[in-house]
Every structure is written in structure tokens, then in C-alpha cells.
Amino acid sequence: MENFGISFSITLLSWQTLLLVVLLVWTYCLIDIIRHKFRNDGKITWFLIVFFLPILGSALYLSTGKTRRVIFN
């Protein structure tokens, strides 16, 4: 029975760590979207995608969305 308590604690810690990482990445993506300009109406689109689909939206934004920002010299 003791082994169950240790296993449960490790599992709970793993889920909490994963949730914290997802929350931090999600927050970073939303702040990054708000701070930068995008071509056309990309800002609204990316914000809604990341806001309503936190894990998938953040992954999509980090892989493709950052390249669609408008860069000023």
C-alpha cells in the first residue's frame, strides 16, 4: 500500500509540472501575439486560435505563426 502513495505523488507532480509548462507557454504566446503586428488580420486569428486551443494553438503559433509577424527595421 505504501508503494501506491509514492506512485501517486510522482504522477501528481508530473501532471502539475506539465500543466505549469503548458500554462507558461500559453501565456508567452498570448503576450507575444498582443505585442507584435501581423499581416492582414492575423493578430485576431492567432489570438483566438491560441486562446481557445491552448496546447495545439501554442504549438502551431510557435512553429508557424511567429514567421508571419511584420518586422520593422
Side-chain angles (χ1 to χ4, degrees):
M1 196 67 171
E2 279 183 37
N3 200 12
F4 174 74
I6 293 171
S7 176
F8 178 75
S9 296
I10 292 172
T11 304
L12 183 61
L13 178 65
S14 300
W15 280 109
Q16 288 174 341
T17 304
L18 179 66
L19 181 64
L20 181 63
V21 168
V22 168
L23 184 64
L24 290 174
V25 170
W26 183 68
T27 304
Y28 167 77
C29 289
L30 289 176
I31 290 171
D32 194 59
I33 292 168
I34 291 170
R35 292 181 65 199
H36 292 93
K37 293 189 180 211
F38 291 81
R39 294 183 205 127
N40 302 331
D41 287 330
K43 181 180 273 201
I44 295 169
T45 306
W46 278 116
F47 186 85
L48 291 174
I49 290 171
V50 171
F51 187 79
F52 287 113
L53 302 169
I55 297 171
L56 180 63
S58 295
L60 285 172
Y61 176 71
L62 291 174
S63 64
T64 63
K66 290 186 86 160
T67 61
R68 300 183 188 275
R69 295 188 306 197
V70 175
I71 299 173
F72 296 105
N73 290 335

